Amino acid sequence: MIEHPKAEELVEAVARWIDSVRPQLAPRDAFLARVAANALGVVKRELQQGAAAEAAAVERLSAVLGRGGTLSELNADLCARLRAGEMDAATPGLLAALRANITEQIAIDQPSYAPEPG
Amino acid sequence: MSDQVLEGLQRLAPELAGEGASVEGLQRLSGGASMETWAFVLVGRDARDELVLRRRTAPMAPEEGRSVSLATEAALITAAHAAGAPVAQLVHLARPADGLGEAHITRRVAGETLGRKIVSDPRFEAVRPKLARQCGEILAQIHAAPPPPGLKTVDALEELARYEEVYRKSGAERPILELAFQHLKKIAPPPVAPVLLHGDFRNGNLMIDSERGVSAVLDWELSHCGDPAEDLGWICVNSWRFGRADLPVGGFGHYEDLLAGYVAAGGQEIPLSRVLYWQALGSLKWGVMCLMMYASYASGAESSVERPMIGRRVSETEIDLVTLLENGL
């Protein structure tokens, strides 16, 4: 992977530029510019954390399901079993695995989100 | 468009405020694909009234299948007002001869609707602790009002079925949403006698005055009949606490105050578990709505950067749903 600059540095530079011109924009465009800069924040965090989060999610779901596969295969299998009633909230380890996965996902999507207190 | 609105309002002015009355300061507040909102001042001989015109500019789209007509909205506002709830009072429901299309005119109520400001701005510090109880009182008033004819009645299982269908069509495979659908179907509370619901009662649709608290309940278009706990749970969904997750009611108050206000104003005793059930169903609904907004981008129907970004808000509903499930919902 090219490192000078890294992809996340390019994304960050564009986000900074958007932020710098935001004050000159009309209200609707200023709002959308903020959304655009936030979108680049998601991309940057996914570049940095996405691969590790996905690998960890695959490992957790594999343990719950007792099989291997890609993340989308495992998600699809788990959804099918939940829908069929073969697994539910009482399935050992399921909620813990889902919590760990979604915690890493929200760290990418919306790190400032204050979740429902436990 | 603006000319047509101004002409219609000028023609109507004498009827609303007496001979010689006129309209000033017409200003577009917001406009979606099918609905416009305008602010204006009606100047009569003795008074200047700040008013709001809401008008439909395109026929109701299929995805708005749950929205009520503006005539029904007008009837809802009138019924809620008669029941004692704070609303932006109805001034006029447009007739075909007014040339304004499907529209209504209400008073313009002063205050703040931005949720983030309501939960964090020092201006609202004094009133904030009173809001949850007030919301309970207002909901009891709305729930006691007679529903206008033509409103749909929906219970928990029907609501889940409707959103599950949308979720299936989206093609998304999200284990937490799937688990939530199955779990909420399994533990659905027995249906109760349906009451009139606001349908979108949350921080963001409430006009807040820094001294009086809730000065108007806005946006009645999702009103329907159903379980009273649906409205109580919706305002507790974490997605409208604006960072104040520690204050479950709208980011400004506590469950106990909401429920105490509800009972004090004549509402029935509702167990917290039922509110939490509807709160979880609310998070699930919002998650599916976020998926739909992404889908409108993916299909090419919408191109704004806002749409795909809302898709990344599904995970906020998922983390909250996991917590509610862990807490023994």
Side-chain angles (χ1 to χ4, degrees), chain B residues 39-302:
Chain B
F40 63 98
V41 184
L42 180 64
V43 185
R45 195 173 301 162
D46 318 306
R48 294 171 60 87
D49 287 320
E50 296 199 352
L51 303 179
V52 171
L53 170 78
R54 227 162 110 74
R55 81 190 272 268
R56 199 180 298 282
T57 51
M60 285 166 89
E63 71 264 23
E64 292 175 312
R66 283 293 274 285
S67 301
V68 301
S69 69
L70 285 168
T72 303
E73 219 177 272
L76 286 160
I77 292 168
T78 306
H81 177 65
V87 294
Q89 277 182 56
L90 184 74
V91 173
H92 182 74
L93 174 63
R95 302 151 302 195
D98 295 335
L100 289 164
E102 187 191 342
H104 65 51
I105 297 170
T106 58
R107 294 197 175 282
R108 186 173 190 183
V109 178
E112 180 63 66
T113 58
L114 287 177
R116 190 164 293 282
K117 284 203 176 161
I118 291 162
V119 306
S120 63
D121 193 314
R123 270 191 303 145
F124 299 103
E125 207 167 294
V127 84
R128 229 175 272 135
K130 301 177 193 161
L131 293 178
R133 186 182 171 93
Q134 225 179 5
C135 285
E137 292 166 356
I138 292 166
L139 282 175
Q141 290 165 330
I142 294 170
H143 294 173
L151 285 189
K152 295 189 178 98
T153 299
V154 188
D155 67 19
L157 288 175
E158 289 164 339
E159 192 78 336
L160 283 167
R162 188 175 112 86
Y163 279 88
E164 188 172 348
E165 194 189 336
V166 175
Y167 167 71
R168 299 274 171 240
K169 278 192 187 146
S170 79
E173 289 180 309
R174 313 273 297 221
I176 296 171
L177 301 185
E178 184 69 60
L179 174 59
F181 274 118
Q182 301 310 330
H183 190 76
L184 291 173
K185 280 195 277 185
K186 205 179 337 181
I187 65 161
V192 293
V195 299
L196 174 64
L197 301 179
H198 177 274
D200 199 7
F201 192 91
R202 61 178 168 86
N203 188 0
N205 282 338
L206 302 173
M207 186 67 81
I208 305 293
D209 177 273
S210 59
E211 283 168 20
R212 291 181 300 135
V214 182
S215 54
V217 181
L218 309 172
D219 286 350
W220 290 81
E221 65 179 279
L222 295 176
S223 180
H224 57 276
C225 295
D227 186 334
E230 180 183 338
D231 270 346
L232 292 158
W234 188 241
I235 194 177
C236 299
V237 171
N238 190 26
S239 294
W240 2 109
R241 293 183 204 162
F242 300 93
R244 292 304 305 266
D246 54 322
L247 295 170
V249 183
F252 47 65
H254 299 282
Y255 291 116
E256 298 73 26
D257 294 331
L258 177 75
L259 290 168
Y262 191 75
V263 171
Q268 56 188 285
E269 295 265 0
I270 296 179
L272 178 59
S273 60
R274 201 173 177 105
V275 175
L276 288 170
Y277 176 87
W278 280 99
Q279 180 190 317
L281 206 165
S283 277
L284 179 56
K285 274 168 62 173
W286 172 235
V288 173
M289 287 181 209
C290 291
L291 278 176
M292 282 166 71
M293 286 191 245
Y294 161 65
S296 71
Y297 172 81
S299 72
E302 298 269 352

Side-chain angles (χ1 to χ4, degrees), chain A residues 17-80:
Chain A
W17 175 76
I18 291 174
D19 276 334
S20 74
V21 298
R22 211 149 47 87
Q24 308 155 29
L25 301 176
R28 177 70 188 159
D29 280 333
F31 168 73
L32 290 175
R34 187 155 59 86
V35 176
N38 288 343
L40 291 176
V42 173
V43 173
K44 179 187 154 196
R45 291 186 295 274
E46 189 156 311
L47 285 166
Q48 292 171 330
Q49 306 163 35
E54 181 162 338
V58 164
E59 199 170 312
R60 291 182 198 111
L61 292 185
S62 296
V64 169
L65 293 166
R67 56 158 283 188
T70 65
L71 183 56
S72 57
E73 285 164 359
L74 294 168
N75 273 331
D77 189 9
L78 177 53
C79 284

